[in-house]
Amino acid sequence: MRFPAEPFRIKVVEPLRRVSREERERLIREAGLNIFAVPADSIYVDLLTDSGTSAMSDRQWAAIMMGDESYAGSRNFYHFEAAVRDIFGYKHVIPTHQGRVAENLLFSTVLKAGDIVPNNIHFDTTRANVQHQGAEALDLVIDEGHDPTSLHPFKGNLDPAKLDALLTVERARVPLVMLTVTNNSGGGQPVSLANARAVHDVCKHHKVPLFFDACRFAENAYFIQQRESGCANKSIREIAQEMFALGDGCTMSAKKDGLVNIGGFLALNDSEWSQRITNLLILIEGFPTYGGLAGRDLEAIAQGLQEVLSEDYLAFRIGQVAHLGERLSDGGVPIVKPVGGHAVYIDAKRFLPGIPQSEFPGQALVVALYLEYGIRAVEVGSLMFAQKDEKTGAMVYPKLELVRLAVPRRVYTTEHMRYVADSVIELYNNREKLRGLRLTYEAPVLRHFTARLEAIAASPAGAAR
Ligand code: P70
């Protein structure tokens, strides 16, 4: 597969440390087999997340030097506000220090216990913030979105018929509908403009506001440009503007498509909601012209939002991730297809069919990738999402058991991707050596961040499990 080479050259380098297998074995044991607890400088290629891990450009670093750290009315805020309004088009722009605060401000203002929030698939922080209000986070992605082998070009689409059926019965319990672009939990899959329009129409019919979770909006727009009929001649900016015009607001983690290391925002049209949210913002985050950020951070976001719209950048970005996926697939590794925008997702159910979801096959794979190759991936499966059914007490496991190789933006070269692909393929060829895991500690919410686990001993003489 051909894809454009890096559309940048390297001006500053950050050395990577290679640690011995013995040291990695000690570190992962001390971490309770939780990759979040391994010190980052003992990792060779860190694909834990694409969030906050981007390399900033020379222009963004220059923007940092232009910080105006006035408590109120910093000029950086006005630049930031103009950049956000230009792309997203919403009236009120509220800066936050990251995406989950935007979610928390929105949900704690508009949700009450017993409400329902439909989404294509909620990501972990969104789900947790909805549930924190006593509301239900409902996933209404199209059926193909749950099938790792379906080649549907817009597997992130929300099923408008399912949404309409829900709203026909439960309108009173649904204060807003969310649409996550791209759909992270479903494999970084895009949502089409046609689908956003269909969801908008259903929302309009039932008079429910539509909010986007816009973290990876530019990657989503690039897929639309490449795949959706009638969109090939539109610019990324135009596609984004067209999509967001269908909504009433958005939450955003600028740590993704803002190309910065920290930052986020909430943008919306409703003045009454905005006023209540701003009052809460002042209580917990900061004054409305900085949120939880420094002036310089706002300037870096304003610049990042311009750079992320570049088609050269996006062709390389999406191409590099696709290239990693293609190498893995050629090596026989089962992955979610088509490859998403920010990450390649390994299908752990097919990688380790002998380990049941109750024994965390995805996490077993994550641990082995670090131990053998110094690569950090993240589990997006039963450790992250399995939950006890309140009524029956039984564990409910997610349909997808994935391991995500998230590629930071502008950070690793394609040679790093080759190393990762070769390593995962080698591990796949040795997969029968992997064992299931059990939990020894779990927190009540978002347990994957702090859980501790241990390996389940091999069954005697390889007895069938
Ligand atoms: C990720 C990170 C964050 C996120 C997101 C969507 C669709 C909101 C947020 C919250 C989280 C993560 C997961 C595993 C390891 C490290 C980090 N996603 N909506 O990597 O944004 O983090 O700024 O509060 O994907 O996918 P924020």
Side-chain angles (χ1 to χ4, degrees):
M1 179 192 155
R2 290 179 62 81
F3 72 98
E6 286 77 356
F8 48 81
R9 54 186 179 182
I10 296 163
K11 182 146 44 186
V12 177
V13 295
E14 180 184 358
L16 292 173
R17 199 166 73 96
R18 300 215 66 169
V19 300
S20 66
R21 192 184 186 284
E22 291 69 45
E23 196 175 345
R24 292 198 298 267
E25 193 170 355
R26 178 179 61 78
L27 289 167
I28 191 76
R29 197 179 345 103
E30 286 173 3
L33 305 188
N34 187 333
I35 203 72
F36 284 95
V38 172
D41 71 353
S42 53
I43 288 161
Y44 180 49
V45 181
D46 195 351
L47 307 183
L48 178 72
T49 177
D50 63 319
S51 178
T53 52
S54 296
M56 291 207 296
S57 68
D58 51 358
R59 286 171 191 223
Q60 284 178 295
W61 282 108
I64 292 273
M65 289 305 294
M66 301 302 284
D68 164 6
E69 305 307 340
S70 308
Y71 188 93
S74 151
R75 69 171 167 261
N76 308 129
F77 172 75
Y78 299 108
H79 296 164
F80 162 83
E81 186 186 46
V84 173
R85 279 217 187 108
D86 170 43
I87 298 168
F88 298 85
Y90 304 122
K91 196 165 156 198
H92 306 285
V93 179
I94 298 165
T96 61
H97 81 271
Q98 59 182 89
R100 69 197 69 182
V101 183
E103 293 162 10
N104 187 287
L105 288 166
L106 177 65
F107 297 148
S108 59
T109 301
V110 309
L111 293 187
K112 57 182 189 314
D115 282 348
I116 304 171
V117 181
N119 200 332
N120 38 4
I121 305 186
H122 292 263
F123 197 60
D124 60 351
T125 57
T126 328
R127 185 180 307 279
N129 270 300
V130 168
Q131 291 173 344
H132 189 63
Q133 302 302 324
E136 184 187 339
L138 190 65
D139 299 337
L140 297 182
V141 74
I142 55 170
D143 293 341
E144 291 88 338
H146 290 301
D147 174 2
T149 62
S150 159
L151 291 178
H152 192 294
F154 291 103
K155 274 167 85 169
N157 285 355
L158 188 152
D159 189 330
K162 287 185 199 164
L163 181 64
D164 188 51
L166 172 82
L167 291 175
T168 302
V169 182
E170 298 283 13
R171 166 64 188 94
R173 292 172 64 199
V174 183
L176 81 171
V177 171
M178 300 279 305
L179 195 52
T180 306
V181 295
T182 56
N183 185 27
N184 189 6
S185 316
Q189 304 292 333
V191 173
S192 70
L193 257 185
N195 183 251
R197 209 169 290 119
V199 170
H200 159 85
D201 291 348
V202 174
C203 288
K204 195 169 172 202
H205 176 73
H206 292 278
K207 298 195 171 60
V208 188
L210 171 63
F211 274 65
F212 289 92
D213 178 335
C215 295
R216 300 177 178 87
F217 76 96
E219 292 169 2
N220 198 89
Y222 184 76
F223 281 120
I224 289 174
Q225 190 195 53
Q226 298 300 306
R227 294 181 185 171
E228 192 161 351
S229 69
C231 295
N233 295 324
K234 292 179 186 175
S235 69
I236 301 299
R237 174 186 259 103
E238 283 165 347
I239 293 169
Q241 287 169 336
E242 201 171 324
M243 175 162 271
F244 294 119
L246 297 165
D248 301 283
C250 70
T251 57
M252 172 75 184
S253 168
K255 298 172 73 171
K256 285 82 168 173
D257 274 352
L259 294 176
V260 291
N261 306 118
I262 196 73
F265 56 86
L266 174 62
L268 71 170
N269 286 333
D270 188 295
S271 297
E272 198 254 335
W273 281 10
S274 168
Q275 193 169 46
R276 283 163 60 199
I277 288 165
T278 303
N279 292 339
L280 199 55
L281 182 86
I282 296 170
L283 187 70
I284 65 171
E285 188 79 333
F287 190 75
T289 59
Y290 69 83
L293 297 168
R296 56 179 171 267
D297 298 325
L298 294 167
E299 197 65 43
I301 297 172
Q303 176 62 26
L305 287 174
Q306 300 307 319
E307 293 178 11
V308 82
L309 301 175
S310 153
E311 281 167 35
D312 281 348
Y313 158 73
L314 285 167
F316 164 72
R317 160 74 177 157
I318 304 288
Q320 188 187 42
V321 176
H323 177 72
L324 173 61
E326 195 158 295
R327 275 181 179 267
L328 289 173
S329 196
D330 289 348
V333 178
I335 60 166
V336 175
K337 284 185 182 167
V339 173
H342 65 295
V344 176
Y345 291 67
I346 301 170
D347 184 350
K349 273 191 188 168
R350 281 187 289 151
F351 197 112
L352 295 170
I355 303 182
Q357 273 187 294
S358 57
E359 295 179 10
F360 309 110
Q363 187 64 13
L365 189 50
V366 167
V367 171
L369 268 178
Y370 176 67
L371 181 62
E372 303 298 340
Y373 306 104
I375 296 168
R376 176 154 68 172
V378 73
E379 192 253 24
V380 183
S382 43
L383 183 60
M384 192 179 273
F385 287 128
Q387 280 186 334
K388 241 192 203 116
D389 184 305
E390 301 271 297
K391 289 173 204 129
T392 66
M395 283 309 277
V396 182
Y397 292 98
K399 292 192 183 115
L400 296 171
E401 181 77 23
L402 306 174
V403 168
R404 187 182 74 170
L405 303 167
V407 183
R409 295 171 181 79
R410 307 191 291 205
V411 170
Y412 292 114
T413 66
T414 302
E415 280 301 293
H416 287 111
M417 297 300 108
R418 184 186 54 75
Y419 172 78
V420 171
D422 291 350
S423 303
V424 177
I425 292 166
E426 188 173 273
L427 187 66
Y428 183 64
N429 292 333
N430 292 315
R431 61 192 178 278
E432 71 288 347
K433 292 190 189 140
L434 271 62
R435 294 283 164 264
L437 311 176
R438 73 166 75 89
L439 279 164
T440 60
Y441 165 76
E442 62 178 308
V445 283
L446 294 171
R447 68 178 181 181
H448 49 289
F449 287 121
T450 53
R452 294 183 70 84
L453 303 101
E454 63 185 14
I456 298 173
S459 35
R465 31 180 85 248

